[in-house]
Amino acid sequence: MTSWESIDADTPLTAYDLDELRRRRSVKWREYEPDVLPMWVAELDTPTAPPIAAALIEAVRLGDTGYPVAGRLPEAFAGFADRRYGWRPDPAAMRLVPDVMSGIVEALTLVTEPGARVVVNTPGYPPFFYWLERVGRHVVESPLAFGPDGFRLDLDRLERDFAAGADAYLLCNPHNPTGIVLTPDELAAVAGLADRYDVRVVVDEIHAPLTYPEATHTPFASLDATAAARSITLCSASKAWNLAGLKAALAVPGEAARSEVARIHEEVSAGAGHFGVLASERAFTEGGEWLSALLAGLDANRLLLGTLLAERLPEVVYVPPRATYLAWLDCRALGLGDDPAEAFLRRGRVALSSGPTFGPPGRGFARFNLGTSPERVADAVERMAATLT
Ligand SMILES: Cc1ncc(COP(=O)(O)O)c(C=O)c1O
């Protein structure tokens, strides 16, 4: 029987015990009662990567706490993207934005008119739905296909949704919550459809640095296609290095979208955090070793979760993600109704993300955050199993 003790402990995921984590004041650790194990929002239970910590400590030592400028961040990201994905976007064309969500809103506001129809795959990251409606863009839900091998992009369905009169497509790749990573062929097909139906593509690649070895992340903008040249991509170090609270992301235009991204207003960029810029720049230039150690630990966790679920909750259908630390669990066979996370919380005292908030295909599902120690992954599965007794 696999147990968490057999997992290599020398990863960033095992640095803190529960008492230390409960002293954190971020939303993951403050939302629920102290007896609840939080496995929900996409925060990592890791220490700050040492090169990033050094950059922040140096800034504090200098009293360097003024307003942000993009500075060397665009160049740092271009170098990272070149080394990792063989894609070298032009730093001069990038714009600093506070975070990926606000960058998506800016991009869609630039490339569409009020009342526009924006296609979003479901299940989908919940803020996509309410942020877009808030700025007067209507979400068109385009479900992914689901089969025995897990989820995949349903190109026929996407075509029907484009053909019905879509203005833009908010592509999330790698995908939250399913962890799928689109292949170059799938991306080329998306670009072909976008050209045929004149749909602008805005791409959320926030999870790209967290792609596991068996998959390869292909930036949409790196394709040789008109839709890629007209795309705007949002990139950030915030998921892979757990910097969400520091606030910095980049809007990266394809060649034909440079003038649109150039119109992102100064005051939008000014909403970014100076520490976010400093930390992200350091992540992209010197954070590679730490990221590799993190990925090794997450890789072990995603396999451990499969073993533990097979032992303790064999009715749950789980296909390990090919990127990122979120596991999308099909709990429909457990008989816990549309929102199994609610039962896990109430009876098991473990907080997963609620499936239905990801759109209608999320009914009966829950999202599990693997970005913690193997011990806590095991504890969470025990709490889930206890829900059923
Ligand atoms: C797919 C996706 N996009 C955007 C975000 C939010 O990113 P930010 O905090 O930079 O707005 C998340 C957060 O988990 C995410 O998973």
Side-chain angles (χ1 to χ4, degrees):
M1 185 173 117
T2 307
S3 73
W4 64 267
E5 285 102 336
S6 67
I7 300 280
D8 181 10
D10 189 22
T11 82
L13 295 164
T14 47
Y16 297 123
D17 64 29
L18 203 49
D19 287 343
E20 287 168 316
L21 290 167
R22 289 203 189 281
R23 281 169 36 213
R24 286 188 174 184
R25 289 156 62 175
S26 64
V27 68
K28 181 179 184 189
W29 292 93
R30 290 292 139 164
E31 181 74 7
Y32 295 101
E33 304 284 305
D35 66 321
V36 170
L37 186 64
M39 308 293 281
W40 63 295
V41 68
E43 292 183 18
L44 290 167
D45 294 346
T46 51
T48 306
I52 298 175
L56 295 174
I57 289 165
E58 177 66 1
V60 170
R61 204 178 274 134
L62 290 172
D64 184 8
T65 52
Y67 295 112
V69 287
R72 296 193 296 248
L73 176 57
E75 181 60 45
F77 175 69
F80 177 82
D82 192 13
R83 290 190 301 279
R84 293 292 272 209
Y85 321 127
W87 171 51
R88 194 163 223 298
D90 179 3
M94 300 180 197
R95 271 282 183 285
L96 179 64
V97 289
D99 49 38
V100 166
M101 264 328 297
S102 58
I104 288 171
V105 165
E106 283 303 312
L108 285 169
T109 307
L110 286 166
V111 303
T112 66
E113 298 297 324
R117 292 160 57 82
V118 180
V119 174
V120 174
N121 291 122
T122 54
Y125 178 57
F128 289 170
F129 306 115
Y130 47 85
W131 278 62
L132 299 197
E133 294 293 339
R134 207 157 59 76
V135 292
R137 270 66 178 171
H138 303 308
V139 172
V140 176
E141 295 179 12
S142 191
L144 297 173
F146 185 43
D149 299 334
F151 285 85
R152 64 175 173 74
L153 188 62
D154 185 342
L155 284 162
D156 294 335
R157 174 64 196 245
L158 195 67
E159 173 155 20
R160 286 203 299 281
D161 291 325
F162 282 10
D167 299 292
Y169 174 36
L170 173 51
L171 167 63
C172 179
N173 182 47
H175 185 256
N176 172 8
T178 64
I180 60 172
V181 178
L182 299 187
T183 63
D185 284 351
E186 287 173 310
L187 292 169
V190 167
L193 292 177
D195 285 342
R196 188 166 329 139
Y197 296 100
D198 192 22
V199 169
R200 296 296 300 267
V201 186
V202 171
V203 198
D204 175 344
E205 296 188 355
I206 194 171
H207 292 282
L210 292 163
T211 304
Y212 293 107
E214 81 271 14
T216 302
H217 172 71
T218 306
F220 183 74
S222 70
L223 300 183
D224 184 12
T226 307
R230 297 175 77 211
S231 68
I232 300 176
T233 303
L234 283 304
C235 303
S236 163
S238 66
K239 286 300 118 182
W241 289 272
N242 199 42
L243 305 173
L246 301 188
K247 294 289 167 197
L250 290 168
V252 183
E255 210 37 50
R258 292 171 72 106
S259 61
E260 285 159 332
V261 164
R263 295 204 328 260
I264 292 181
H265 210 276
E266 275 295 300
E267 66 202 20
V268 175
S269 300
H274 182 47
F275 275 20
V277 174
L278 299 178
S280 305
E281 185 227 316
R282 196 59 72 89
F284 287 132
T285 51
E286 292 179 37
E289 200 180 320
W290 186 89
L291 180 61
S292 298
L294 172 70
L295 275 169
L298 293 175
D299 193 3
N301 275 1
R302 71 182 170 141
L303 300 182
L304 172 69
L305 179 63
T307 305
L308 295 173
L309 288 172
E311 285 167 7
R312 304 291 289 130
L313 290 155
E315 303 86 356
V316 172
V317 180
Y318 162 62
V319 179
R322 291 160 71 82
T324 205
Y325 51 86
L326 306 166
W328 184 237
L329 305 182
D330 178 354
C331 304
R332 286 176 295 182
L334 294 179
L336 296 176
D338 278 356
D339 191 4
E342 190 277 324
F344 293 141
L345 176 62
R346 193 163 33 83
R347 293 194 245 145
R349 309 305 285 161
V350 57
L352 276 62
S353 298
S354 155
T357 63
F358 293 75
R363 288 193 197 115
F365 285 73
R367 197 190 70 177
F368 185 113
N369 178 345
L370 293 159
T372 192
S373 68
E375 178 183 10
R376 285 182 289 271
V377 170
D379 184 2
V381 173
E382 282 309 311
R383 288 169 185 244
M384 290 165 67
T387 301
L388 303 175
T389 54

